[in-house]
Amino acid sequence: MSLLLPLALCTLAACCGATPPPQPAPSPSPLLSLACNSSYVLDIANFVLQDINGDREDGYVLSLNRVSDAREHEQEAGLGSLFYFTLDVLETGCHVLSRRSWKNCGVRTLHKSVYGQCKAIFYINKARRILYLPAYNCTLRPVSRSEITMMCPDCPSSSPYDLSDPRFLETATESLAKYNSKSPSKQYSLVKITKTSSQWVFGPAYFVEYLIKESCTKSQASSCALQPTNSVPVGICHGSLSEQGSEKSVSVTCDFFKSQAPTPRGENSTVDQRPVTLSKVEEPQQKNTAPTNPSVKAVPKGSVQYLPDLDNKPKGSQGTGPVEAFPVQLDLTTDPQGEPLAVSFLFLEPMEEKLVVLPFPSKEQRSAECPGPAQEDNPLILPP
């Protein structure tokens, strides 16, 4: 018995000191972090923003301020890559219906600035020469009014989301009437007011931007009421009304959109095989005009959300980080293993190709070279 006890203790000690079986190492992320200021990333960001602006029917063209994050997910052989981009953007003075490139549109002055962030998933298949935007979402806010007032007390006070003041409607109506009185032939009517601001100089002054549509010619003035009501906007006007004592001054300028054939939404308006200058993407020579399988539709593409400025954010409250400041959500899936995304309609020949889309990555694991440098680096118009 005395010999068995030491033997049992030795056996127990050997078992306790045994090395546990090796655990499988966590699989590396399939997402490759990209440098936000590389020419490759900036070229792709240009196409992403071009497609976001091209998809929209309301609001103003967004301009790229900086790339905040960029990831690449290589797909199976022959299927190219999905890119996950986070872009910091600024609103320009061009309406989206003008269909101008964001590079040809100037951003607004600081006191009128609207800034924000867009998240987008973008597909590139250089072998098939395809560029495609499956989904995007953007959140925008005006610059802090209190900060602007401290810097420039006399600057016009913008109220981009409150169009209820009857003086703004009066300004639009009177300025458009002035434009129509000087128009040699066509007459125009108000569609909607898109931007407003006010200022006190020697008296109150009101400024508006508004869309217009054709109503009739001057020779048809008696039959204007019979004109179709579903006509599309043809231009945007900038009108102002100022008062000094009993005197009233009205001014107006109008810019007209280039006529373009409409692209049916939900068909293949997101599929593009245009010439590109990406260093890793060869130049395409042809363009798909319709899905090979009409029953297959593209996923809903996205939206732009407008929020008020951050002046009224409670001080000292919990959860006031950047996610709450710009709550841009873009998750086509929550499955960490990914889910299939049908793209067979992008290809000319019949096939059942599917991409693997992953949950949109958080910024914690982005490249050390992100975010990239900003075109406008004023902290008042940079998302946190």
Side-chain angles (χ1 to χ4, degrees):
M1 182 66 180
S2 59
L3 293 176
L4 291 178
L5 182 58
L7 182 61
L9 292 175
C10 290
T11 303
L12 181 60
C15 293
C16 293
T19 302
Q23 298 295 322
S27 58
S29 171
L31 294 177
L32 173 65
S33 297
L34 305 176
C36 284
N37 200 39
S38 70
S39 58
Y40 179 51
V41 165
L42 292 176
D43 284 341
I44 298 175
N46 171 44
F47 289 123
V48 171
L49 199 52
Q50 181 176 319
D51 282 1
I52 289 175
N53 287 323
D55 180 62
R56 298 166 58 213
E57 299 294 332
D58 191 26
Y60 291 82
V61 172
L62 300 178
S63 172
L64 178 64
N65 194 21
R66 69 179 179 183
V67 178
S68 182
D69 194 3
R71 315 288 181 95
E72 180 177 3
H73 181 200
E74 293 185 358
Q75 304 292 307
E76 294 180 359
L79 284 183
S81 294
L82 272 178
F83 293 83
Y84 300 78
F85 269 60
T86 302
L87 307 177
D88 292 345
V89 296
L90 293 171
E91 190 178 84
T92 71
C94 300
H95 197 275
V96 293
L97 295 180
S98 69
R99 299 309 177 200
R100 292 178 182 170
S101 167
W102 65 268
K103 291 187 175 182
N104 297 328
C105 297
V107 298
R108 297 183 181 275
T109 55
L110 181 61
H111 68 273
K112 296 180 180 178
S113 291
V114 176
Y115 71 110
Q117 197 166 80
C118 294
K119 291 183 178 180
I121 298 175
F122 197 68
Y123 175 50
I124 295 180
N125 187 324
K126 67 177 182 178
R128 302 285 182 170
R129 302 181 177 186
I130 293 173
L131 305 176
Y132 170 54
L133 178 70
Y136 71 90
N137 271 325
C138 304
T139 297
L140 305 176
R141 292 184 186 273
V143 66
S144 167
R145 176 49 39 197
S146 62
E147 295 285 351
I148 294 298
T149 301
M150 292 175 59
M151 297 169 55
C152 179
D154 297 327
C155 285
S157 174
S158 299
S159 51
Y161 312 114
D162 181 12
L163 309 179
S164 60
D165 191 327
R167 298 306 300 270
F168 293 134
L169 179 58
E170 177 187 354
T171 303
T173 303
E174 294 198 19
S175 61
L176 182 55
K178 181 174 182 177
Y179 187 87
N180 280 332
S181 69
K182 296 183 178 181
S183 176
S185 57
K186 293 182 179 180
Q187 299 288 283
Y188 302 93
S189 58
L190 176 65
V191 176
K192 66 180 292 188
I193 298 174
T194 59
K195 192 79 71 174
T196 64
S197 62
S198 60
Q199 185 179 23
W200 184 275
V201 188
F202 298 105
Y206 303 91
F207 308 92
V208 293
E209 298 176 25
Y210 53 92
L211 296 174
I212 58 172
K213 64 180 180 181
E214 292 184 6
S215 54
C216 58
T217 64
K218 286 192 173 181
S219 61
Q220 298 172 324
S222 61
S223 61
C224 277
L226 302 178
Q227 298 297 315
T229 59
N230 58 348
S231 55
V232 297
V234 297
I236 188 167
C237 295
H238 298 71
S240 68
L241 185 154
S242 58
E243 297 177 349
Q244 185 177 356
S246 59
E247 296 183 3
K248 180 185 292 186
S249 175
V250 177
S251 65
V252 61
T253 59
C254 294
D255 297 318
F256 290 88
F257 307 142
K258 292 181 179 179
S259 58
Q260 296 182 3
T263 301
R265 294 173 63 85
E267 294 183 4
N268 209 36
S269 57
T270 60
V271 180
D272 198 353
Q273 295 190 327
R274 66 202 130 178
V276 294
T277 57
L278 298 177
S279 57
K280 296 184 182 180
V281 180
E282 298 176 359
E283 183 172 321
Q285 297 177 348
Q286 60 182 353
K287 180 177 181 179
N288 283 342
T289 57
T292 57
N293 185 355
S295 64
V296 179
K297 299 295 183 182
V299 296
K301 294 179 62 178
S303 62
V304 176
Q305 178 186 20
Y306 289 86
L307 299 178
D309 65 34
L310 294 171
D311 288 343
N312 296 323
K313 186 170 65 172
K315 294 183 179 181
S317 61
Q318 298 295 320
T320 57
V323 173
E324 285 72 29
F326 288 92
V328 189
Q329 303 297 327
L330 186 62
D331 280 320
L332 299 184
T333 178
T334 57
D335 186 346
Q337 302 301 316
E339 292 185 9
L341 178 66
V343 292
S344 58
F345 61 92
L346 299 176
F347 298 85
L348 295 175
E349 64 274 13
M351 58 177 61
E352 291 297 329
E353 303 291 357
K354 291 184 178 180
L355 305 178
V356 175
V357 61
L358 299 173
F360 203 92
S362 62
K363 70 178 184 179
E364 279 71 20
Q365 296 180 343
R366 65 183 176 183
S367 166
E369 299 180 64
C370 291
Q375 298 296 316
E376 302 289 339
D377 59 1
N378 191 312
L380 291 179
I381 52 176
L382 283 176

